[in-house]
Amino acid sequence: SVCRSRMSEKLMLLILSLTLQPTIQKLMKGYNRYLRPNFNEGPVAIGMSLDIASIDAISEINMDYTATIFLRQRWRDSRLVFPGNESVSLDGRLVSLLWIPDTFIPDSKRSFLHDVTVENRLIRIFSNGTVLYALRITATIACNMDLTKYPMDRQVCTLQLESWGYNLQDVVFYWTRGNDSVKGLDTLRLAQYSVESYYTTVSEAVYETGQYPKLVLHFALRRNVLFFILETYVPSTLLVVLSWVSFWISQSSVPARTCIGVTTVLTMTTLMMGARTSLPNANCFIKAIDVYLGICFTFIFGALLEYACAHFYTMHSTQPNQSVELSTAEDVTEQSANSDTKKHAGPKEKVPGQGCSLSSVKDALHQATSVFIVENPHNIDRHARTVFPTAFLFVNILYWLYYLFL
């Protein structure tokens, strides 16, 4: 029974080969794959369509994205016309026997054709000579990004298709169905982005060697900011709020207030360093997240400086009382000494203007220093409880309005 089944399979294969072989032989008879269709009769019109299977990775560091696409090309070759209304699907390895366009992706950094289990190619010939050539390609394509609003940015990337050797006199590219020629972007799901819009254009690529046909797919990607809000914005905001706790602690509790200030500064520094590891090393971009982290660090460091100033004025506010006590004691001793000297000594001449000049200098210095003297150092904390939250709220409103709506 096994031998009979094998014999039947071989017989079926032989019948299929005998029925298909004349058609392929007739098509390939006198066919020159080195000459394009319509040679010396005008350019070949090549229609293209794309299926975006996936966008695997988008790298801000390298400014590129990796996509897997199904590229389909159609053209008409009058040398492949055969009778009937059916189409013939050929093995992908027979591509070497036919003329195919020299389409390439100019912005591609790395690309490869899938070959599991065989090379992912499709050749289908219709009775009117139309050839359908499909490929499955994975390519890493460059994308120029503007990261000034990162992570609230919107990037516009392109996928370009050009002819390598055939210029506009030989080959003309067109999208088979306009914007409907691209499928898969509407249902695509990405980790950090969402596809906002896309459209197709037809243009020309001008080089030193001539003008070449060019098709461009433009698609806009909007970054999802929720991940960054939970990972960076919320922790940094909470650290700023935590630094304000020291305003309600007594100024005499030096270790407590110093510990809060130093801890929040060090934690904010660690958070900034952690956020920088996932950001592109682009010195030409001042990103939105860098601006916010800088604002938070400024407020936290300002809260630490506020306590330093308050503690400084608290220490100096106790010194005038001590100096007043010392001055009164010195005045008493000086008056007693003067009374004793007046009894034993005669009248002395007064030096006019000497006391007046010294007193005027002292008054001027006292007025200059009185500007920087705070009568009640506890008022610094009272004002800070209102000034710091109000200023931080105002800066946040300006920040989000600018980066979200401008």
Side-chain angles (χ1 to χ4, degrees):
S1 60
V2 175
C3 294
R4 289 179 181 177
S5 62
R6 290 181 179 177
M7 289 293 294
S8 61
E9 289 178 0
K10 290 181 180 180
L11 182 61
M12 290 178 63
L13 291 174
L14 181 60
I15 294 172
L16 288 173
S17 62
L18 290 175
T19 55
L20 290 176
Q21 188 175 4
T23 304
I24 298 175
Q25 285 182 350
K26 289 179 181 179
L27 292 177
M28 295 294 103
K29 186 177 181 180
Y31 186 88
N32 188 357
R33 66 185 181 93
Y34 298 106
L35 293 179
R36 65 173 179 84
N38 300 337
F39 187 72
N40 291 331
E41 296 180 3
V44 183
I46 300 176
M48 295 194 185
S49 61
L50 292 174
D51 275 1
I52 308 297
S54 64
I55 296 181
D56 306 319
I58 301 175
S59 174
E60 293 84 9
I61 298 177
N62 300 321
M63 289 194 178
D64 56 28
Y65 67 94
T66 303
T68 299
I69 61 175
F70 293 92
L71 173 62
R72 299 184 179 92
Q73 305 177 76
R74 296 173 182 268
W75 67 93
R76 190 174 184 277
D77 193 343
S78 58
R79 297 172 294 181
L80 299 178
V81 176
F82 61 91
N85 295 322
E86 298 180 355
S87 61
V88 178
S89 296
L90 304 180
D91 191 283
R93 289 168 288 188
L94 295 178
V95 172
S96 58
L97 302 178
L98 300 175
W99 178 90
I100 57 174
D102 55 351
T103 307
F104 78 108
I105 303 173
D107 293 336
S108 175
K109 297 181 178 180
R110 297 173 298 275
S111 60
F112 64 91
L113 177 67
H114 290 261
D115 55 358
V116 177
T117 58
V118 293
E119 289 188 352
N120 295 170
R121 298 189 181 193
L122 169 66
I123 288 287
R124 185 172 297 165
I125 303 175
F126 295 87
S127 59
N128 62 350
T130 301
V131 181
L132 171 63
Y133 179 44
L135 298 169
R136 184 182 175 215
I137 305 170
T138 295
T140 301
I141 304 169
C143 178
N144 294 325
M145 300 182 181
D146 184 8
L147 300 174
T148 53
K149 290 189 176 182
Y150 180 93
M152 292 166 283
D153 53 337
R154 177 181 178 271
Q155 305 298 338
V156 178
C157 298
T158 59
L159 174 59
Q160 304 181 27
L161 300 171
E162 295 182 11
S163 176
W164 174 255
Y166 295 104
N167 55 24
L168 288 173
Q169 297 178 356
D170 299 322
V171 168
V172 175
F173 286 174
Y174 68 95
W175 295 104
T176 55
R177 296 179 301 276
N179 290 338
D180 294 334
S181 303
V182 179
K183 302 293 184 182
L185 285 177
D186 296 331
T187 59
L188 201 61
R189 294 292 179 268
L190 303 176
Q192 291 188 11
Y193 289 91
S194 58
V195 180
E196 195 174 47
S197 61
Y198 66 91
Y199 63 96
T200 58
T201 57
V202 180
S203 61
E204 300 175 0
V206 180
Y207 298 100
E208 185 180 357
T209 54
Q211 297 179 348
Y212 298 86
K214 178 178 173 181
L215 298 181
V216 185
L217 166 65
H218 307 262
F219 58 95
L221 300 173
R222 173 73 67 179
R223 193 186 303 273
N224 300 323
V225 73
L226 180 61
F227 169 78
F228 297 92
I229 289 177
L230 298 177
E231 186 184 51
T232 304
Y233 284 94
V234 171
S236 58
T237 304
L238 293 178
L239 283 176
V240 175
V241 176
L242 180 62
S243 66
W244 299 340
V245 176
S246 62
F247 301 154
W248 279 267
I249 300 177
S250 175
Q251 294 182 1
S252 60
S253 303
V254 178
R257 296 193 64 167
T258 305
C259 180
I260 290 177
V262 174
T263 302
T264 51
V265 169
L266 294 178
T267 307
M268 190 65 202
T269 305
T270 305
L271 183 63
M272 293 174 67
M273 294 176 61
R276 289 290 302 174
T277 56
S278 60
L279 298 178
N281 298 323
N283 297 326
C284 57
F285 292 111
I286 299 178
K287 295 170 285 297
I289 195 170
D290 295 334
V291 174
Y292 192 82
L293 292 175
I295 291 171
C296 293
F297 184 82
T298 303
F299 274 89
I300 291 174
F301 191 74
L304 182 60
L305 291 181
E306 183 273 343
Y307 175 64
C309 295
H311 184 69
F312 174 79
Y313 286 118
T314 302
M315 296 297 294
H316 280 267
S317 64
T318 58
Q319 293 180 3
N321 297 328
Q322 298 176 358
S323 62
V324 168
E325 294 176 358
L326 292 174
S327 62
T328 54
E330 290 177 356
D331 291 339
V332 170
T333 55
E334 187 176 355
Q335 289 177 0
S336 62
N338 290 334
S339 62
D340 293 337
T341 54
K342 286 179 181 179
K343 294 178 182 179
H344 301 283
K348 294 183 180 180
E349 297 181 356
K350 294 181 180 180
V351 181
Q354 184 177 0
C356 182
S357 62
L358 291 175
S359 62
S360 63
V361 172
K362 290 180 180 179
D363 292 339
L365 292 175
H366 180 72
Q367 291 177 359
T369 55
S370 63
V371 179
F372 303 98
I373 294 175
V374 179
E375 295 181 357
N376 188 1
H378 295 283
N379 290 333
I380 298 177
D381 285 342
R382 293 192 187 99
H383 294 312
R385 295 168 191 171
T386 305
V387 172
F388 272 76
T390 305
F392 187 69
L393 179 61
F394 178 72
V395 172
N396 266 270
I397 292 173
L398 293 180
Y399 175 86
W400 293 105
L401 285 178
Y402 176 78
Y403 284 105
L404 287 179
F405 300 104
L406 297 180

